[in-house]
């Protein structure tokens, strides 16, 4: 059945039933404060226009800080450790896991995913439930919306039944280099031959610690039996102090600022393609949700990328919902987790909640509720509306640890105060949440040799099957 246009105003929704199309867009590696929604710089005008016709969640948080774990949560409504043992090198969505796409497929919806490859591929089990799953292939597998939007639009145009499409791109991901006029749309201050070389090399970007460039440390100093490990988690535990006689270069503050300009260019380029995608979508009968899977530290805490820690820089992401039944121009300032995307979509589709998913729909979240996250480097974190953020390091995720100490530890914990200072209350909240979860006892399926080689070429550490750090 062809979608029919709803004649009621958007703010009132369509009374005739569920949407005829559902579009979930993942702008990989996009920080909330890098968008026009935050008011810092008009980088995402198309996202802002969508927000004006829908509801914006200004405190949306990813529940993980890596693409594979965060998308696994986005597709299942569950925390990563509930799905598979939370080990960075082996995590994958186990076969048979109930997914959003699977539920929609079972109820007659056509389902398809168009991803930039990288960690959002079949090898990690993220294809489950999709009738059509298409990932960008090739040596450089971290593809752009340039690659995924046109194929997604062609698929959407050929559907004659209710459909669900997931569209994903790595445009804000390292390296921070865009096509043609999108290379330098922002800022010339700090532009130098040195910084241009660094932003074009994702491995060089990982060598930065604050304003110091440890250009001799990778990849030779950090190797594993399967290859170089610059993006392995142990790299982030190394000291940021130069060794005696080590060649280290100091970047100017303007050069550091120029890195952010390049990152913003990637976010802007993603928004350009979001505009192309939305130009072919009728919001009267299509539910559209735009998110990011995680942010990027951008040296806020001394690191470039997202897996080094659980901070607002790596977890606070954009979330906009628009379409039939969604209030236009509404802004929600209380914390929400991306786990709530699954029940929200199923609610709009008139489908029962997904098995194992306990998150409420976005419009049913208690504004006093805290948001939780699990980190690649064995971390747990809680963000509260007024108390701030508390992160536990060495949390024992891979061992399935559930019972945390009754009192706030004196070490392995960082706390950023909010409007009220009560770290002990945050600790109690984190402890109660963790005790209520049932960690998974199985690991993911080993990735293929081809994917392992491709990821290693970009510096990612992917251990052998059954291997350990």
């Amino acid at each position: 059945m062809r979608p029919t246009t709803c004649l009621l105003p958007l703010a009132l929704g369509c009374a005739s039933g569920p949407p005829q199309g559902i579009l979930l867009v993942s702008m990989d590696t996009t920080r909330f404060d890098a968008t026009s929604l935050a008011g810092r710089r008009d980088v995402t005008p198309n996202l802002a226009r969508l927000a004006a016709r829908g509801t914006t969640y200004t405190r949306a948080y990813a529940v993980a800080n890596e693409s594979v774990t965060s998308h696994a949560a986005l597709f299942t409504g569950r925390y990563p450790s509930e799905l598979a043992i939370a080990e960075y090198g082996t995590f994958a969505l186990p076969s048979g896991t109930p997914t959003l796409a699977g539920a929609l497929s079972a109820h007659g919806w056509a389902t398809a995913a168009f991803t930039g490859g990288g960690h959002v591929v079949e090898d990690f089990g993220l294809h489950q439930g999709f009738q059509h799953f298409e990932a960008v292939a090739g040596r450089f597998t971290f593809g752009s919306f340039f690659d995924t939007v046109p194929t997604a639009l062609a698929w959407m145009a050929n559907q004659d039944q209710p459909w669900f499409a997931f569209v994903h791109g790595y445009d804000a991901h390292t390296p921070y280099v865009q096509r043609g006029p999108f290379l330098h749309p922002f800022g010339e201050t700090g532009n130098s031959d040195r910084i241009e070389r660094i932003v074009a090399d994702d491995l060089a970007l990982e060598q930065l610690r604050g304003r110091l460039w440890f250009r001799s440390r990778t990849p030779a100093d950090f190797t594993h039996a399967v290859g170089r490990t610059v993006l392995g988690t142990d790299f982030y535990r190394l000291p940021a102090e130069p060794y005696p006689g080590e060649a280290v270069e100091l970047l100017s503050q303007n050069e550091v600022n120029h890195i952010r300009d390049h990152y913003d260019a990637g976010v802007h380029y993603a928004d350009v393609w979001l505009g192309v995608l939305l130009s072919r979508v009728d919001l009267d009968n299509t539910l559209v949700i735009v998110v990011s899977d995680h942010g990027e530290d951008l040296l806020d805490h001394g690191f470039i990328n997202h897996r080094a820690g659980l901070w607002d820089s790596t977890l606070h992401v954009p979330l906009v919902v628009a379409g039939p039944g969604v209030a236009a121009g509404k802004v929600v300032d209380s914390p929400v987790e991306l786990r709530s995307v699954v029940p929200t979509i199923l609610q709009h589709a008139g489908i029962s909640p997904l098995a194992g998913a306990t998150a409420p729909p976005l419009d049913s979240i208690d504004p006093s509720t805290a948001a939780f996250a699990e980190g690649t480097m064995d971390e747990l974190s809680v963000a509260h509306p007024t108390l701030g953020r508390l992160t536990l390091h060495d949390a024992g995720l891979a061992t399935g640890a559930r019972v945390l100490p009754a009192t706030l530890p004196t070490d392995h914990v960082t706390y950023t105060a909010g409007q009220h200072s009560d770290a002990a209350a945050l600790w109690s909240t984190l402890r109660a949440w963790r005790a209520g979860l049932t960690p998974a006892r199985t690991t993911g399926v080993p990735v293929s040799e081809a994917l392992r080689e491709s990821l290693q070429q970009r510096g990612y550490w992917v251990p052998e099957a059954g291997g350990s750090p």
Side-chain angles (χ1 to χ4, degrees):
M1 177 176 63
R2 283 278 178 195
T4 57
T5 302
C6 173
L7 300 179
L8 296 178
L10 177 64
L12 297 179
C14 181
S16 61
Q20 293 298 298
I22 298 175
L23 176 62
L24 176 59
V25 182
S26 176
M27 301 172 67
D28 203 290
T29 323
T30 299
R31 292 168 53 141
F32 174 80
D33 65 3
T35 70
S36 303
L37 305 177
R40 186 184 67 85
R41 176 184 267 176
D42 192 18
V43 174
T44 57
N46 292 306
L47 182 61
R49 279 191 284 271
L50 180 69
R53 298 192 61 186
T55 297
T56 303
Y57 296 85
T58 64
R59 296 185 67 183
Y61 294 102
V63 301
N65 61 345
E66 180 59 83
S67 292
V68 61
T69 47
S70 186
H71 281 102
L74 184 65
F75 289 170
T76 65
R78 300 161 71 182
Y79 296 104
S81 67
E82 295 181 288
L83 299 166
I85 292 175
E87 173 59 53
Y88 171 64
T90 63
F91 182 89
L93 197 61
S95 178
T97 302
T99 66
L100 170 63
L104 290 166
S105 294
H107 285 79
W109 290 65
T111 59
F114 305 89
T115 87
H119 285 101
V120 190
V121 292
E122 292 188 26
D123 288 72
F124 294 108
L126 298 178
H127 66 295
Q128 295 183 64
F130 287 103
Q131 298 159 5
H132 178 81
F133 189 94
E134 183 175 335
V136 175
R139 179 182 176 191
F140 299 103
T141 56
F142 286 63
S144 164
F145 282 124
F146 173 89
D147 305 296
T148 59
V149 166
T151 51
L153 286 173
W155 180 86
M156 290 159 54
N158 286 325
Q159 300 312 305
D160 58 1
Q161 66 187 91
W163 55 266
F164 167 62
F166 171 73
V167 186
H168 164 262
Y170 285 106
D171 298 277
H173 197 281
T174 57
Y176 305 139
V177 178
Q178 302 306 318
R179 294 169 170 84
F182 298 97
L183 178 62
H184 283 118
F186 308 111
E188 289 296 330
T189 301
N191 190 354
S192 67
D193 290 341
R194 175 172 63 178
I195 204 63
E196 293 302 317
R197 290 197 306 272
I198 291 174
V199 298
D201 185 346
D202 47 3
L203 298 182
L205 285 164
E206 295 300 332
Q207 295 171 317
L208 299 179
R209 292 293 181 269
R211 288 172 55 190
L212 295 179
W213 182 23
F214 293 83
R215 59 185 177 84
S216 64
R217 287 201 182 185
T218 179
D221 286 357
F222 313 109
T223 58
H224 187 270
V226 299
R228 59 191 183 187
T229 66
V230 61
L231 299 189
T233 55
D234 283 346
F235 182 78
Y236 302 102
R237 296 187 175 95
L238 294 171
E241 298 292 332
Y243 301 135
E246 183 177 9
V248 177
E249 296 185 21
L250 177 66
L251 302 184
S252 70
Q253 186 58 52
N254 283 338
E255 285 179 307
V256 171
N257 294 341
H258 195 66
I259 294 173
R260 182 63 180 261
D261 289 335
H262 271 268
Y263 171 80
D264 285 355
V267 176
H268 179 59
Y269 189 63
D271 183 77
V272 169
W273 281 103
L274 176 65
V276 173
L277 185 59
L278 295 179
S279 70
R280 303 279 294 276
V281 171
D282 182 356
L283 287 179
D284 285 339
N285 55 41
T286 304
L287 179 71
V288 176
I289 299 181
V290 180
V291 301
S292 177
D293 58 335
H294 54 71
E296 191 86 313
D297 192 50
L298 297 176
L299 302 180
D300 282 2
H301 300 85
F303 303 92
I304 276 290
N305 78 30
H306 39 277
R307 73 185 56 79
L310 298 178
W311 307 293
D312 276 13
S313 61
T314 59
L315 295 173
H316 187 192
V317 295
L319 173 58
V320 174
V321 183
V326 180
K330 182 179 179 180
V331 176
V332 177
D333 293 321
S334 53
V336 299
E337 294 179 351
L338 294 193
R339 290 188 313 129
S340 289
V341 168
V342 167
T344 299
I345 288 177
L346 293 180
Q347 181 185 62
H348 279 267
I351 298 174
S352 300
L354 194 64
T358 59
L362 288 167
D363 60 4
S364 302
I365 295 177
D366 183 339
S368 65
T369 299
F372 302 93
E374 300 176 340
T376 299
M377 290 183 60
D378 195 25
E379 298 167 311
L380 298 175
S381 186
V382 53
H384 188 273
T386 61
L387 299 180
R389 179 181 292 282
L390 186 145
T391 299
L392 169 66
H393 310 273
D394 299 321
L397 287 176
T399 61
R402 294 176 60 189
V403 180
L404 305 180
T407 57
L408 183 68
T410 57
D411 56 4
H412 301 299
V413 170
T414 56
Y415 172 55
T416 303
Q419 296 169 305
H420 306 289
S421 298
D422 195 341
L426 268 182
W427 178 254
S428 296
T429 302
L430 183 68
R431 185 171 183 268
W433 163 73
R434 192 64 186 166
L437 294 185
T438 303
R441 299 297 180 185
T442 59
T443 59
V445 177
V447 301
S448 68
E449 186 65 33
L451 178 61
R452 180 187 293 112
E453 181 180 350
S454 176
L455 291 176
Q456 285 174 205
Q457 287 175 355
R458 291 185 65 104
Y460 286 92
W461 168 55
V462 183
E464 297 285 357
S468 59

